[in-house]
C-alpha cells in the first residue's frame, strides 16, 4: 500500500464463484455451521452436502473480495427429494448458504452477497429460494427477513425460510 492511501480503505468487490473457489466455500460452510462456536479442527459437519461435488447443474456462487482477498461467500444449489438439504422445499427451489469471515462481519458484506445472489437467482428464472437457519441465529434471520425471506416451517433446532423471487411487474407508463 502506498503512503498516501488511507489504511482503512475497503473496497469490496463481489464476483461470480467457480470451481477454483470450492476450498473457500468449504471454509465458509464451516463458519455457517459453527456460527456460534469455534471448532477449528472439525470439518463442515453434516452440512457438507452444500459443497460436495461442486459443479452440478444449477450450482451458483458469489464471492466477496476485500482488496483481492476472499472474505465471504453466498451460494445456492438444487437438491433431489431423495437427498434433500436441510431447508428443502421442492426440486425447483435452490437452497442458499452464506458466511462472512468473522473479522469482516457487520460491514455490509453479507448484504452485498445476498443482493448479488438474489439477482443471479432472478436472472436464472428461479421463482423461489430457500434456506435453513439455526433458530437461535437471530442476526442471520433478521438479515434474511430484510431480503424477503419468510419462515415456512421450523423444528426444535432450525427454521426453513423461503423468498419469492418473482420480478416486480413493470407499471405501464402513461
Ligand atoms: C450472517 C452473516 C453472513 C451476515 O454477514 P455480515 O457481513 O455481517 O452482514 P451485514 O454487515 O451486511 O449485516 C446486515 C444485517 O445483518 C444482521 N446481522 C448479521 N449478523 C448479525 C449479528 N451477529 N447480530 C445482529 N445482527 C446481525 C443485522 O440486521 C445487520 O444489519 P445492521 O448492520 O443494519 O445491524 C455473517 O454474520 C456470518 O457469516 N455469520 C456466521 C455464519 C452464519 O450465521 N451464516 C448463516 C447460516 S444460515
Amino acid at each position: 500500500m502506498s503512503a498516501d492511501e488511507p489504511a482503512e480503505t475497503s473496497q469490496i468487490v463481489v464476483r461470480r464463484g467457480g470451481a477454483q473457489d470450492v476450498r473457500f466455500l468449504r471454509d465458509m460452510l464451516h463458519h455457517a455451521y459453527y456460527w456460534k462456536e469455534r471448532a477449528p479442527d472439525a470439518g463442515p459437519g453434516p452440512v457438507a452436502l452444500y459443497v460436495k461435488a461442486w459443479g452440478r447443474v444449477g450450482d451458483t456462487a458469489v464471492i466477496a473480495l476485500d482488496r483481492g482477498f476472499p472474505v465471504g461467500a453466498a451460494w445456492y444449489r438444487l437438491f433431489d427429494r431423495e437427498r434433500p438439504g436441510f431447508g428443502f422445499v421442492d426440486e425447483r427451489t435452490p437452497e442458499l448458504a452464506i458466511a462472512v469471515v468473522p473479522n469482516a462481519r457487520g460491514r455490509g458484506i453479507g448484504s452485498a452477497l445476498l443482493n448479488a445472489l438474489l439477482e443471479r437467482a432472478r436472472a436464472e428464472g428461479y421463482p423461489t429460494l430457500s434456506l435453513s437457519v439455526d433458530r437461535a441465529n437471530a442476526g442471520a434471520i433478521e438479515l434474511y427477513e430484510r431480503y424477503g425471506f419468510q419462515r415456512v416451517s421450523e423444528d426444535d433446532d432450525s427454521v426453513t425460510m423461503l423468498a419469492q423471487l418473482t420480478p416486480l411487474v413493470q407499471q405501464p407508463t402513461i
Side-chain angles (χ1 to χ4, degrees):
M1 189 190 298
S2 68
D4 51 4
E5 241 180 355
E8 288 300 311
T9 300
S10 172
Q11 288 187 326
I12 304 300
V13 172
V14 176
R15 65 154 170 80
R16 280 295 293 274
Q20 75 279 14
D21 299 305
V22 170
R23 200 194 161 120
F24 183 65
L25 293 188
R26 208 169 281 133
D27 287 351
M28 291 299 95
L29 191 60
H30 179 95
H31 283 299
Y33 186 60
Y34 297 103
W35 64 275
K36 63 182 165 190
E37 59 197 271
R38 283 173 62 83
D41 299 325
V47 290
L49 77 173
Y50 290 100
V51 286
K52 204 172 169 192
W54 185 259
R56 291 192 329 219
V57 172
D59 285 354
T60 301
V62 290
I63 310 289
L65 306 171
D66 185 0
R67 283 162 280 188
F69 292 99
V71 289
W75 67 101
Y76 59 68
R77 94 183 311 188
L78 292 161
F79 289 95
D80 294 340
R81 194 168 293 281
E82 288 74 35
R83 280 162 296 176
F86 292 94
F88 182 81
V89 172
D90 62 43
E91 295 186 346
R92 293 172 58 228
T93 301
E95 263 191 64
L96 174 143
I98 183 170
V100 171
V101 297
N103 63 4
R105 291 178 192 163
R107 290 166 43 200
I109 297 171
S111 304
L113 285 166
L114 268 180
N115 259 324
L117 197 65
L118 288 173
E119 195 177 302
R120 249 346 294 156
R122 279 195 189 90
E124 295 292 335
Y126 292 112
T128 45
L129 203 57
S130 74
L131 60 87
S132 173
V133 56
D134 190 322
R135 57 187 297 161
N137 194 349
I141 291 173
E142 186 182 320
L143 177 63
Y144 297 143
E145 284 174 339
R146 207 180 275 181
Y147 280 83
F149 285 88
Q150 294 181 333
R151 295 163 190 252
V152 287
S153 62
E154 45 194 293
D155 61 22
D156 289 347
D157 304 317
S158 56
V159 182
T160 296
M161 302 183 82
L162 187 72
Q164 304 288 338
L165 299 180
T166 318
L168 289 173
V169 179
Q170 201 107 47
Q171 295 298 320
T173 47
I174 303 169

